[in-house]
């Protein structure tokens, strides 16, 4: 099965937050035997060049209203500096539909604030950069009792992560997509987390 992963791209996108993830999805180098690499499709509100926080320029493949998602797909929402602005309402509307239809949505850093502002974190376990900051900038947020002080949290088909946890974010997404064997995923995470050679040999073995 070839997973389609839709990556939302936006000006000021925190490109490093999805770097581990996109490299593994696109290459498929550690995937299960016979598993094709995932297809990454970049999406935005308009087909105009966006500039990431790192200065990279990306031309989106599709606009938000040009595609639909199926149960095996995933929507990745990276961080950025504009997530509380109205410009992101279309993608947040799509994220809400995905959550309702049990399609994987994974948000990190500022994107979790967008979900909170849209009321999508009020009744399910989640995390973000900081609870007090979330309360301060997202008036519609009332999900304090569900907040978990963890690098990343998976609740069904919704993954949320702190902006300083791109590795944990990637691990949660790869696990949810079920594209790496469990021992391979453990070795992959162990290698990048600890830099110990034993994990490299376990990963390559």
């Amino acid at each position: 099965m070839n997973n389609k992963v839709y990556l939302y791209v936006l000006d000021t996108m925190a490109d490093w937050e999805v770097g581990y993830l996109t490299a593994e999805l696109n290459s498929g180098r550690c995937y299960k035997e016979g598993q094709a690499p995932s297809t990454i499709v970049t999406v935005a509100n308009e087909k105009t060049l966006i500039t990431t926080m790192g200065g990279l320029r990306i031309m989106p493949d599709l606009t938000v209203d040009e595609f639909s998602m199926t149960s095996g797909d995933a929507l990745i929402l990276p961080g950025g500096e504009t997530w509380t602005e109205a410009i992101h309402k279309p993608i947040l509307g799509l994220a809400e539909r995905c959550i309702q239809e049990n399609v994987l949505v994974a948000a990190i850093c500022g994107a979790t604030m967008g979900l909170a502002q849209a009321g999508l974190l009020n009744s399910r376990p989640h995390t973000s950069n900081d609870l007090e900051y979330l309360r301060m900038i997202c008036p519609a947020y009332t999900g304090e009792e569900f907040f978990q002080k963890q690098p990343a949290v998976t609740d069904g088909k919704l993954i949320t992560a702190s902006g300083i946890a791109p590795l944990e974010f990637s691990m949660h997404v790869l696990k949810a997509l079920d594209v790496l064997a469990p021992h391979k995923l453990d070795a992959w995470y162990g290698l990048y987390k600890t830099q110990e050679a034993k994990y490299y040999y376990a990963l390559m073995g």
Side-chain angles (χ1 to χ4, degrees):
M1 179 180 175
N2 176 256
N3 300 92
K4 273 195 176 179
V5 177
Y6 294 90
L7 173 65
Y8 184 61
V9 293
L10 62 153
D11 285 320
T12 76
M13 182 177 105
D15 33 21
W16 70 91
E17 292 177 349
V18 294
Y20 288 112
L21 180 60
T22 54
E24 298 306 329
L25 294 173
N26 183 66
S27 69
R29 58 184 177 170
C30 299
Y31 276 21
K32 296 174 182 177
E33 185 175 355
Q35 173 84 46
S38 300
T39 300
I40 299 176
V41 182
T42 55
V43 300
N45 287 330
E46 299 178 352
K47 284 185 184 175
T48 56
L49 277 174
I50 71 99
T51 303
T52 72
M53 201 176 295
L56 302 180
R57 304 182 78 193
I58 300 173
M59 177 62 75
D61 297 313
L62 298 172
T63 62
V64 173
D65 59 2
E66 284 182 330
F67 70 99
S68 58
M69 301 179 66
T70 61
S71 59
D73 296 335
L75 177 64
I76 308 298
L77 305 176
E81 296 180 348
T82 61
W83 270 106
T84 56
E85 297 179 10
I87 189 174
H88 302 300
K89 282 186 177 180
I91 196 67
L92 290 170
L94 176 62
E96 182 173 14
R97 292 197 300 275
C98 287
I99 292 170
Q100 292 170 347
E101 296 170 9
N102 208 32
V103 176
L104 181 64
V105 175
I108 184 170
C109 194
T112 64
M113 298 172 201
L115 294 180
Q117 184 63 19
L120 301 178
L121 301 182
N122 288 338
S123 60
R124 57 192 308 158
H126 62 276
T127 194
S128 185
N129 295 343
D130 178 72
L131 178 56
E132 291 306 318
Y133 188 68
L134 203 57
R135 285 172 172 159
M136 181 174 66
I137 68 167
C138 299
Y141 174 69
T142 59
E144 295 94 335
E145 65 180 297
F146 297 99
F147 184 89
Q148 298 183 7
K149 195 173 181 180
Q150 299 290 335
V153 171
T154 294
D155 179 59
K157 290 285 189 174
L158 177 65
I159 297 170
T160 50
S162 162
I164 57 174
L167 183 60
E168 288 76 9
F169 177 68
S170 302
M171 182 187 67
H172 278 243
V173 175
L174 292 170
K175 182 177 182 180
L177 289 173
D178 192 28
V179 289
L180 275 70
H183 72 282
K184 287 275 190 179
L185 182 58
D186 289 344
W188 179 87
Y189 177 73
L191 176 62
Y192 287 103
K193 190 68 174 179
T194 71
Q195 296 86 50
E196 291 185 19
K198 66 179 181 180
Y199 292 113
Y200 172 79
Y201 293 111
L203 186 61
M204 295 296 109

